[in-house]
């Protein structure tokens, strides 16, 4: 009953007294999938939302109430579930719905106790000592009579909601081992032992987190990963229809959202739907003369304005409803300072001491009506302490931008220079925004991306005017704005991740410059694309539009685009939405592999063929690429890394990655790299792996000797080998090497169909070895290429006789650059593959 009372009411956006609504009345089923969409640490959550918005038939949906149920024969018992999802997407609502259904006797009745423990509450006792039993007594007073022996026999579910709000340093490697529920230790040690299964090994654990914080839980501790995706398109429409009784109004709002891609994407998040509804309802139900908001900066500026107006209408005052008083401005800027300081630190939850450091009177915030309660909420938790947060991360980012822009207009060089890390003050608006942009581009996790987009949007006089004097408009002259736009179109980002660079295009869109977008739309419609020169900003825009397209690109040929080397790099993120990617000879470096790896990790990726040949990737680049190859989401079938400045180190990385995810790759070409015998030995070890399905292996000109032939022969002898095509050309194998290779060819397990030994320093002795091996295992080898070797006629005749004899499978023999010896018509189709 206690849990039912705790979960049956919810608040949307604000936590004002009396604003609670029955959860079952407003709850809309969220779209939850099993598995994680991709590596997310390097992307701002808005970028993750953009990818989530793409429909994907590969997703495996899972219902909230089935989160601990075994859904297939391949799955084992599910003990620990980690649920990811961007801020405001509905993770806490899902937890609340699960708990309420259990408390009402509707679902998961095999569980004895559901025990919610939010990280924001646990933070308040992080320095205290507890046993697990006493911890439950503190957080759930109704369990005061529970005994230690009860915990060991009952089926318990611990729910740790909001890992991203945690201020613990979870140490899973070095900690005290605890298995007794009455043993006292630090809260952090208790939690780690509970998650690892040392403490109550039969208890179920459910952890929710924003993606960037989920890394704190080791994969070895997790049995199932799920992702809350938010609202589907139909659920977005259902939300607005349910919210407004006026059917015409809901239709107009839905129509406007669909017309703006950025708004439509953000409406995946339930909280953003609430923000959008507040703004559009206000603007559509009064005498609306201005343009409806199309950018995020527009929308958030109007949202702040609407909250100010509501406060004045509710509590009266001498000012016009839209006007900001000095007290309003002061409070908003203090909130902005809090937002900014903690955005840099990555904090989204605040406590009383955090507010006080930013000059906010806690009692003032608690009682301040209107503006504050709609954008900044206070929750009472245990010990009568309070925790604060913005109603959504994007509001924190917006207010942080408002604060920083205000500091710039007030020439606060101390604050600006601390942020930008420059000794010289910014000389102009263009200079300030340029430096802020470059700082965000260099961020590893993109945590400043949306903040910088808001900064650029706030530079427009139209948005400053909406905010009613909060920002100084003197800096936003048309010629100044044009300088900012020109810089965005010309900024160099050759040392920046291609994914980061896309945010430059978004900054342009926030400033309502549609020129680049229109030019790219014209380019996509053009029949003579190769004749049109693309600038770097064009390439960022094109990369964004291609990967956001509902149509999957069949093939991306990077070298075909008429642009600079940097422009080609900026196009790389488009590989996320194509089947084949030819990125060869495009002056790519190791850093380019990060975007490709990210694409391979995504379960949205359609990539099956990848060619990175003739780029200086080096071993470090292949190591980055391997983080994608080893992902269970990677379905790559063909990989070419010809002449990429690789050594045997890359062979170790590839072999290790492919052992983790061995079942998809069919073709691997590593020709013209210094792999040496030691590298080939590592690769051939992978060929022995039970789930290896590799059929084609290219090792031409890899500085191999006869020693490598032992490794290859061993793989060919294996009954696990699927190898059908092998290229060992341009290596000094000599006759002794071929003799060793033949011990594999003559094995009944060998299924090789095509073998290339061009320019391998062979004589007629090798012909004898090969002829003998093929007589022992006559049925498989179809084509043999021995061009540019000193074979002599006598040696060639031994093999030619096999071609003529229908008892043997050999159909084509190449001995020079002349026409091959062949007696069967089927050989023509085979030679096309060389």
């Amino acid at each position: 009953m206690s849990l039912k009372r705790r979960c049956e009411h919810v608040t949307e956006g604000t936590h004002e007294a009396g604003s609670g609504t029955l959860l079952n009345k407003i709850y809309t089923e969220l779209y939850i999938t099993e598995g994680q969409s991709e590596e997310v640490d390097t992307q701002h959550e808005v970028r993750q939302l953009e990818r989530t918005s793409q429909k994907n038939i590969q997703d495996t949906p899972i219902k909230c109430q089935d989160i601990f149920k075994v859904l297939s024969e391949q799955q084992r018992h599910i003990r620990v579930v980690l649920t990811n999802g961007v801020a405001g997407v509905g993770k806490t609502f899902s937890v609340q719905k699960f708990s309420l259904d259990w408390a009402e006797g509707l679902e998961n009745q095999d569980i004895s106790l559901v025990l919610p423990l939010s990280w924001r509450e646990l933070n308040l006792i992080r320095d205290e000592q507890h046993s697990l039993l006493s911890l439950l007594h503190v957080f759930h007073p109704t369990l005061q009579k529970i005994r230690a022996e009860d915990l060991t026999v009952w089926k318990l579910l611990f729910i740790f909601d909001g890992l991203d709000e945690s201020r613990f340093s979870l140490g899973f490697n070095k900690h005290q081992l605890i298995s007794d529920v009455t043993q006292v230790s630090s809260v952090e040690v208790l939690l780690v032992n509970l998650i690892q299964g040392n403490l109550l090994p039969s208890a179920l654990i459910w952890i929710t987190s924003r993606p960037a914080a989920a890394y704190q839980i080791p994969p070895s501790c997790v049995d199932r990963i799920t992702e809350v995706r938010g609202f589907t398109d139909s659920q977005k429409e259902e939300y607005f229809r349910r919210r407004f009784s006026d059917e015409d109004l809901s239709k107009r709002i839905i129509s406007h959202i669909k017309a703006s891609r950025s708004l439509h994407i953000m409406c995946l998040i339930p909280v953003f739907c609430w923000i959008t509804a507040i703004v559009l309802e206000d603007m559509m139900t009064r005498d609306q003369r201005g343009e409806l908001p199309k950018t995020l900066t527009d929308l958030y500026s109007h949202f702040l304005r609407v909250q100010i107006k509501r406060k004045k209408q509710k509590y009266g005052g001498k000012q016009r409803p839209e006007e900001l008083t000095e007290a309003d401005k002061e409070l908003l800027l203090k909130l902005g300072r809090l937002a900014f300081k903690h955005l840099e630190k990555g904090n989204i939850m605040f406590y009383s001491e955090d507010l006080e450091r930013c000059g906010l009177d806690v009692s003032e915030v608690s009682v301040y009506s209107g503006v504050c309660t709609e954008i900044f909420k206070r929750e009472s938790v245990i010990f009568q302490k309070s925790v604060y947060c913005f109603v959504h991360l994007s509001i924190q980012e917006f207010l942080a931008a408002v604060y920083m822009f205000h500091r710039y207009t007030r020439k606060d060089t101390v604050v600006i220079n601390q942020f930008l890390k420059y000794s010289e003050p910014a000389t102009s608006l263009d200079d300030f925004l340029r430096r802020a942009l470059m700082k965000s581009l260099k961020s590893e996790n993109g945590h400043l991306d949306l903040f910088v987009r808001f900064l650029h949007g706030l530079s427009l006089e139209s948005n400053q005017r909406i905010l009613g004097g909060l920002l100084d408009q003197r800096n936003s002259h048309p010629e100044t704005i044009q300088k900012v736009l020109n810089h965005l179109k010309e900024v160099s980002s050759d040392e920046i991740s291609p994914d980061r660079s896309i945010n430059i295009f978004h900054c342009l869109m926030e400033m309502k410059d549609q020129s680049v977008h229109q030019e790219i739309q014209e380019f996509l419609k053009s029949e003579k694309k190769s004749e049109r020169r693309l600038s770097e900003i064009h390439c960022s825009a094109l990369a964004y539009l291609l990967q956001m397209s509902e149509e999957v690109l069949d093939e991306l040929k990077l070298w075909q685009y008429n642009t600079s080397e940097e422009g080609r790099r900026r196009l790389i993120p488009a590989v996320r939405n194509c089947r084949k990617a030819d990125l060869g000879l495009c002056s790519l470096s190791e850093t380019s592999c990060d975007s490709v790896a990210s694409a391979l990790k995504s379960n949205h990726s359609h990539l099956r063929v990848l060619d990175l040949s003739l780029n200086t990737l080096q071993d470090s680049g292949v190591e980055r690429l391997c983080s994608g190859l080893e992902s269970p989401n990677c379905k790559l079938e063909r990989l070419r890394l010809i002449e990429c400045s690789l050594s045997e180190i890359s062979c170790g990385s590839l072999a290790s990655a492919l052992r983790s995810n061995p079942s998809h790759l069919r073709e691997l070409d590593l020709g013209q790299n210094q792999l040496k015998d030691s590298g080939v030995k590592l690769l051939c070890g992978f060929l022995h792996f039970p789930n290896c399905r590799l059929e084609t292996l290219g090792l031409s000109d890899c500085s191999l000797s006869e020693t490598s032939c032992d490794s290859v022969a061993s793989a060919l002898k294996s009954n696990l080998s699927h190898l059908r095509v092998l290229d060992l050309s341009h290596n000094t194998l000599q006759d002794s090497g071929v003799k060793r290779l033949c011990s594999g060819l003559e094995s009944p397990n060998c299924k090789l169909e095509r073998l290339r030994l061009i320019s391998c320093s062979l004589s007629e002795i090798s012909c004898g070895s090969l002829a003998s091996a093929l007589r022992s295992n006559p049925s498989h080898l179809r084509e043999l290429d021995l061009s540019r070797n000193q074979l002599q006629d006598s040696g060639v005749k031994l093999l030619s006789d096999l071609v003529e004899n229908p008892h043997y499978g050999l159909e084509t023999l190449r001995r020079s650059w002349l026409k091959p010896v062949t007696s069967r018509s089927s050989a023509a189709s085979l030679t096309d593959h060389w």
Side-chain angles (χ1 to χ4, degrees):
M1 293 304 295
S2 170
L3 189 63
K4 181 185 176 189
R5 286 194 298 270
R6 178 173 175 171
C7 295
E8 64 185 351
H9 284 88
V10 295
T11 52
E12 190 180 26
T14 174
H15 275 224
E16 278 189 292
S19 65
T21 306
L22 286 172
L23 173 62
N24 285 330
K25 182 179 179 181
I26 68 164
Y27 183 79
T28 301
E29 189 73 35
L30 288 156
Y31 186 46
I32 305 174
T33 60
E34 185 166 13
Q36 185 166 307
S37 60
E38 66 177 289
E39 176 100 348
V40 293
D41 293 345
T42 61
Q43 292 298 317
H44 187 278
E45 290 187 350
V46 171
R47 295 286 296 118
Q48 296 165 41
L49 279 176
E50 290 167 347
R51 304 220 189 105
T52 300
S53 69
Q54 295 170 292
K55 295 178 181 177
N56 184 16
I57 59 173
Q58 299 177 52
D59 291 337
T60 305
I62 183 171
K63 292 185 177 180
C64 176
Q65 59 265 33
D66 296 335
I67 211 99
F68 284 96
K69 293 177 182 176
V70 176
L71 302 178
S72 68
E73 294 179 359
Q74 288 77 29
Q75 289 176 333
R76 55 193 175 117
H77 170 65
I78 308 295
R79 189 183 77 87
V80 178
V81 174
L82 176 61
T83 295
N84 286 313
V86 300
V89 80
K91 300 183 294 296
T92 298
F93 265 43
S94 298
V95 164
Q96 208 162 332
K97 177 62 174 170
F98 183 101
S99 302
L100 181 61
D101 285 350
W102 175 83
E104 292 183 334
L106 301 177
E107 299 283 352
N108 293 288
Q109 295 305 289
D110 57 317
I111 296 174
S112 308
L113 271 181
V114 173
L115 302 163
L117 297 165
S118 75
W119 291 97
R120 68 179 63 167
E121 293 177 333
L122 288 165
N123 288 339
L124 296 169
I125 58 168
R126 62 182 175 181
D127 297 325
E128 298 181 12
Q129 297 281 311
H130 281 279
S131 69
L132 183 61
L133 188 61
S134 70
L135 194 69
L136 293 183
H137 290 164
V138 167
F139 281 90
H140 295 282
T142 53
L143 301 179
Q144 288 292 339
K145 295 181 180 180
I146 198 171
R147 300 169 301 172
E149 51 267 33
D150 295 329
L151 295 182
T152 59
V153 296
W154 290 350
K155 186 175 182 179
L156 308 176
L157 166 58
F158 291 86
I159 303 178
F160 297 104
D161 188 27
L163 176 62
D164 47 283
E165 299 168 356
S166 165
R167 296 196 178 183
F168 288 90
S169 298
L170 299 176
F172 281 87
N173 296 325
K174 296 181 180 179
H175 61 80
Q176 178 187 4
L177 190 65
I178 294 178
S179 57
D180 186 345
V181 297
T182 63
Q183 186 174 346
V184 175
S185 182
S186 69
V187 177
E188 176 188 319
V189 170
L190 287 178
L191 299 177
V192 168
N193 276 280
L194 190 58
I195 293 168
Q196 284 186 325
N198 304 321
L199 191 57
L200 295 180
S202 62
L204 304 177
I205 311 291
W206 187 7
I207 304 167
T208 72
S209 176
R210 285 169 55 208
Y215 72 91
Q216 297 177 69
I217 309 299
S220 58
C221 293
V222 180
D223 300 302
R224 170 178 282 162
I225 295 178
T226 63
E227 184 175 6
V228 181
R229 301 284 187 88
F231 286 154
T232 62
D233 287 353
S234 60
Q235 288 166 344
K236 294 173 193 175
E237 296 183 22
E238 180 186 343
Y239 173 90
F240 290 108
R241 283 196 298 267
R242 190 181 68 243
R243 183 178 179 89
F244 300 112
S245 56
D246 185 335
E247 185 178 348
D248 180 62
L249 177 61
S250 65
K251 284 182 178 179
R252 289 165 62 201
I253 288 176
I254 291 168
S255 176
H256 178 72
I257 290 168
K258 285 182 175 180
S260 171
R261 185 166 190 84
S262 60
L263 301 188
H264 192 247
I265 288 170
M266 288 293 284
C267 277
L268 283 162
I269 303 175
V271 170
F272 190 82
C273 289
W274 170 76
I275 293 170
T276 305
I278 285 176
V279 172
L280 294 184
E281 179 187 21
D282 178 78
M283 298 185 73
M284 288 181 175
T285 54
R286 61 183 169 87
D287 184 17
Q288 171 60 37
R289 296 180 182 178
E291 187 180 22
L292 291 173
K294 293 181 179 178
T295 69
L296 295 183
T297 312
D298 262 354
L299 187 79
Y300 281 66
S301 298
H302 278 290
F303 176 71
L304 204 58
R305 189 65 173 265
V306 170
Q307 300 311 328
I308 294 164
K309 185 177 78 170
R310 284 186 172 187
K311 175 214 167 186
K312 302 287 171 49
Q313 289 174 337
K314 185 173 182 180
Y315 294 98
K318 297 179 181 180
Q319 299 82 13
R320 290 165 51 196
E322 292 84 357
E323 288 182 355
L324 269 74
T325 65
E326 290 304 314
D328 292 334
K329 294 177 184 178
E330 184 179 354
L331 179 66
L332 288 173
L333 290 172
K334 286 178 179 178
L335 285 172
R337 183 184 177 197
L338 177 76
F340 173 74
K341 284 186 173 294
H342 288 273
L343 179 63
E344 283 207 297
K345 296 176 183 177
N347 295 335
I348 61 173
M349 302 303 302
F350 321 107
Y351 298 91
S352 299
E353 57 269 26
D354 298 319
L355 273 64
E356 290 166 0
R357 290 191 191 104
C358 291
L360 283 160
D361 187 318
V362 175
S363 60
E364 177 191 20
V365 171
S366 300
V367 301
Y368 198 91
S369 302
V371 179
C372 188
T373 54
E374 291 290 339
I375 63 174
F376 191 68
K377 60 185 180 181
R378 175 179 67 88
E379 296 180 14
S380 294
V381 292
I382 58 171
F383 316 124
Q384 300 302 308
K385 293 184 179 180
S386 294
V387 62
Y388 303 84
C389 65
F390 293 94
V391 296
H392 188 252
L393 174 62
S394 57
I395 290 180
Q396 181 177 344
E397 292 167 307
F398 177 70
L399 278 173
V402 169
Y403 168 75
M404 186 51 62
F405 201 93
H406 180 269
R407 290 293 87 200
Y408 168 75
T409 60
R410 292 297 184 273
K411 308 299 181 185
D412 189 339
T413 55
V414 175
V415 171
I416 298 298
N417 291 345
Q418 283 178 347
F419 166 56
L420 297 177
K421 302 293 190 279
Y422 275 78
S423 57
E424 297 294 326
T427 57
S428 63
L429 178 63
D430 175 41
D431 187 36
F432 166 63
L433 292 176
R434 178 182 60 81
R435 294 185 188 184
L437 174 67
M438 294 312 295
K439 176 164 182 171
S440 74
L441 291 175
K442 292 175 181 177
S443 163
E444 291 185 2
N445 60 9
H447 71 296
L448 296 175
D449 280 4
L450 192 55
F451 164 78
V452 166
R453 282 163 67 171
F454 282 137
L455 269 184
H456 281 79
L458 289 170
S459 69
L460 296 184
E461 186 181 355
S462 57
N463 286 326
Q464 294 169 1
R465 192 165 52 248
I466 295 169
L467 293 174
L470 187 61
L471 302 178
D472 191 337
Q473 300 176 34
R474 288 174 296 178
N475 295 274
S476 300
H477 300 299
E479 56 271 22
T480 304
I481 296 302
Q482 192 57 52
K483 282 184 179 180
V484 176
L485 294 173
N486 291 342
H487 170 258
L488 288 172
K489 295 175 183 180
E490 298 167 2
V491 64
S492 173
S493 60
D494 55 344
E495 296 181 1
I496 306 300
S497 155
D499 286 304
R500 291 270 76 76
S501 299
I502 288 177
N503 207 48
I504 304 170
F505 171 62
H506 285 303
C507 290
L508 268 181
M509 299 298 284
E510 286 301 320
M511 294 187 71
K512 302 181 181 178
D513 185 303
Q514 296 286 329
S515 60
V516 172
H517 184 268
Q518 291 168 355
E519 288 160 7
I520 287 302
Q521 295 286 9
E522 292 171 5
F523 170 81
L524 290 171
K525 296 174 184 176
S526 171
E527 295 182 359
K528 297 181 179 181
K529 294 183 174 62
S530 60
E531 296 179 5
R532 302 190 64 166
R533 177 78 176 176
L534 297 179
S535 68
E536 282 82 3
I537 190 63
H538 283 132
C539 292
S540 288
L542 181 57
Y544 173 73
L545 293 176
L546 287 176
Q547 65 177 311
M548 294 305 300
S549 171
E550 293 184 3
E551 293 184 15
V552 180
L553 190 65
D554 186 54
E555 185 170 12
L556 175 69
K557 293 182 178 179
L558 198 58
W559 51 271
Q560 284 188 336
Y561 289 91
N562 184 4
T563 185
S564 64
E565 291 180 1
E566 183 184 339
R568 290 197 179 97
R569 282 193 335 101
R570 289 202 191 181
L571 281 167
I572 292 175
V575 300
R576 290 192 177 89
N577 198 32
C578 70
R579 296 183 181 90
K580 302 176 185 177
D582 184 352
L583 312 182
L585 195 59
C586 288
S587 302
L588 306 184
S589 66
E590 58 191 87
T591 56
S592 303
C593 295
D594 289 329
S595 293
V596 180
S598 177
L600 294 173
K601 292 173 188 176
S602 170
N603 65 358
H604 293 278
S605 175
H606 301 271
L607 199 58
R608 298 294 180 268
V609 180
L610 174 62
D611 190 347
L612 284 163
S613 300
L614 300 165
N615 290 298
T616 312
L617 304 184
Q618 305 183 80
D619 296 323
S620 54
V622 170
E623 185 177 1
R624 298 183 186 202
L625 182 68
C626 285
S627 68
L629 293 173
E630 67 189 11
S631 167
N633 289 329
C634 175
K635 304 294 188 297
L636 198 68
E637 296 173 2
R638 296 168 60 191
L639 174 61
R640 298 185 73 190
L641 295 168
I642 300 169
E643 198 174 333
C644 288
S645 302
L646 311 182
S647 75
E648 62 266 31
I649 295 173
S650 288
C651 294
S653 301
L654 285 165
S656 175
L658 295 173
R659 283 193 193 97
S660 300
N661 179 27
S663 60
H664 296 286
L665 199 69
R666 298 289 186 271
E667 180 178 329
L668 176 62
D669 198 335
L670 296 170
Q672 299 179 55
N673 289 292
Q674 300 296 306
L675 306 184
K676 301 180 180 177
D677 298 325
S678 56
V680 171
K681 185 176 181 179
L682 291 170
L683 279 177
C684 289
F686 164 64
L687 295 177
H688 288 275
F689 202 70
N691 292 329
C692 172
R693 296 292 183 270
L694 197 68
E695 297 175 357
T696 299
L697 179 60
L699 297 170
S700 174
D701 194 11
C702 288
S703 300
L704 310 183
S705 73
E706 59 199 75
T707 305
S708 288
C709 295
D710 288 328
S711 303
V712 175
S714 175
L716 293 175
K717 292 176 188 177
S718 170
N719 62 359
L720 299 174
S721 175
H722 292 264
L723 209 58
R724 298 294 182 270
V725 181
L726 176 62
D727 188 355
L728 291 168
S729 302
H730 303 287
N731 290 295
T732 312
L733 305 183
Q734 304 183 81
D735 296 326
S736 56
V738 170
K739 185 176 181 180
R740 298 183 189 192
L741 182 66
C742 285
S743 68
L745 293 174
E746 65 190 14
S747 168
N749 289 326
C750 176
K751 305 295 189 295
L752 202 66
E753 297 175 0
R754 283 177 275 160
L755 175 62
R756 297 182 79 180
L757 296 169
I758 301 168
S759 189
C760 289
S761 302
L762 310 182
S763 74
E764 67 270 20
I765 296 173
S766 289
C767 294
S769 301
L770 288 164
S772 175
L774 295 180
R775 289 191 185 98
S776 301
N777 179 23
S779 60
H780 294 290
L781 198 70
R782 298 285 185 268
E783 188 168 343
L784 176 61
D785 195 336
L786 296 170
S787 303
R788 302 184 69 177
N789 288 290
Q790 301 297 316
L791 304 182
Q792 307 297 329
D793 291 341
S794 57
V796 173
K797 188 173 188 309
L798 289 172
L799 293 170
S800 298
D801 289 344
L802 297 182
V803 174
E804 297 296 332
N805 190 333
H807 178 69
Y808 298 100
L810 192 63
E811 297 174 348
T812 302
L813 171 65
R814 289 182 179 273
R815 56 184 174 177
S816 68
W817 296 116
L818 302 177
K819 184 178 179 181
V821 176
T822 176
S823 63
R824 276 159 273 184
S825 59
S826 60
S829 61
L830 285 169
T831 53
D832 288 343
H833 290 282
W834 285 120

